[in-house]
Amino acid sequence: MSDAPDVFGALADPTRRALLERLSAGDGATATELATGLPITRQAVAKHLSVLAGAGLVDARRQGREMRYRPTPAPLGDAVAWMTGIGAEWDERLAALARTVQRRRA
Amino acid sequence: MSDAPDVFGALADPTRRALLERLSAGDGATATELATGLPITRQAVAKHLSVLAGAGLVDARRQGREMRYRPTPAPLGDAVAWMTGIGAEWDERLAALARTVQRRRA
DNA sequence: AGCATCTGCAACCTCCTAGTTGCGCGTTTG
DNA sequence: CAAACGCGCAACTAGGAGGTTGCAGATGCT
């Protein structure tokens, strides 16, 4: 759909954020599992998971006839780094976070 | 356009991120100022600024016949908190950030 | 006053996105 | 083997987002 690793674009949709929350709560899940409990179809969930995978936020792994998705929060670190960079000179709290990110990403 | 304070939705557009970067670089700017140097019209920039304002990321202040925009990065803190909450149990680096956020927001 | 800016509002267009349905293929299980 | 389950792909539709043009209302400068 688009393989640009746009993390913010992937997080823009509330459904995708809900999916990430569910994934991080348990030990991964399949598309059909996630679809039960959401008011959308399995294919819609699969599309969202595809977008998340394109952004590098989830990792798809085949297990037999199932497709298990697990969250890979590494890109979140980049997004956090960008945000702290923006707000560094305007907000002391974010500036402190920026320093932490800088130190840990080195 | 929508007054829902969707921070991620506001940050999804590359143009809006560029606007935020420019705003945080200087001491605020007007829509016409920002439009020069971008390949879009002033009205498009104004719309983007309106979205950013709806998300609480910029503050619009009238100065005579000008409209000066300044960044207000407070919502970025919430976004960072959400991200760290997601990745906390999957990534040690983000867990550390989560602790920092928790401590500073109390 | 008169003109040049700067802004905001409204209508319009185009394209992408979220969602649906339908179908075919691989993988279990009885 | 055959039936059932899970998945992916393709076509289609509706609605929203980004962008443009045009115009009217304030404000500043000479």
Side-chain angles (χ1 to χ4, degrees):
Chain A
M1 197 165 289
S2 90
D3 50 2
D6 191 344
V7 182
F8 290 110
L11 294 179
D13 192 277
T15 304
R16 280 195 286 267
R17 279 186 303 240
L19 287 178
L20 261 193
E21 286 177 0
R22 288 212 187 185
L23 282 180
S24 72
D27 190 29
T30 68
T32 37
E33 265 179 34
L34 292 166
T36 68
L38 286 185
I40 56 178
T41 58
R42 171 188 63 89
Q43 286 86 343
V45 174
K47 273 193 190 179
H48 283 302
L49 288 172
S50 162
V51 173
L52 289 172
L57 285 166
V58 299
D59 175 62
R61 202 132 95 188
R62 175 148 232 124
Q63 272 188 0
R65 73 176 157 183
E66 282 187 350
M67 195 67 162
R68 203 123 211 119
Y69 291 90
R70 309 187 59 190
T72 55
L76 292 180
D78 302 342
V80 169
W82 184 86
M83 291 197 199
T84 51
I86 288 296
E89 46 184 320
W90 298 89
D91 191 280
E92 195 41 50
R93 168 161 45 89
L94 286 178
L97 275 177
R99 283 192 288 275
T100 305
V101 171
Q102 211 80 22
R103 188 160 13 100
R104 302 223 162 227
R105 287 189 61 80
Chain B
M1 197 163 290
S2 93
D3 49 3
D6 192 345
V7 182
F8 290 111
L11 294 179
D13 193 275
T15 305
R16 280 197 286 268
R17 273 177 302 205
L19 287 177
L20 262 193
E21 286 178 0
R22 287 211 187 184
L23 282 180
S24 72
D27 190 29
T30 69
T32 37
E33 265 179 35
L34 293 166
T36 68
L38 286 185
I40 56 177
T41 59
R42 171 188 64 88
Q43 288 86 342
V45 174
K47 274 193 190 180
H48 283 303
L49 288 173
S50 164
V51 173
L52 289 173
L57 284 165
V58 300
D59 174 63
R61 201 132 96 189
R62 173 146 233 126
Q63 271 189 1
R65 74 173 156 182
E66 283 187 348
M67 196 67 162
R68 204 121 211 120
Y69 292 89
R70 308 186 61 188
T72 55
L76 292 182
D78 302 341
V80 169
W82 183 86
M83 291 196 201
T84 51
I86 288 295
E89 44 184 321
W90 297 90
D91 193 279
E92 195 41 49
R93 167 160 45 89
L94 286 178
L97 276 177
R99 283 192 288 275
T100 306
V101 170
Q102 210 80 22
R103 191 163 6 103
R104 302 222 162 229
R105 288 189 62 79

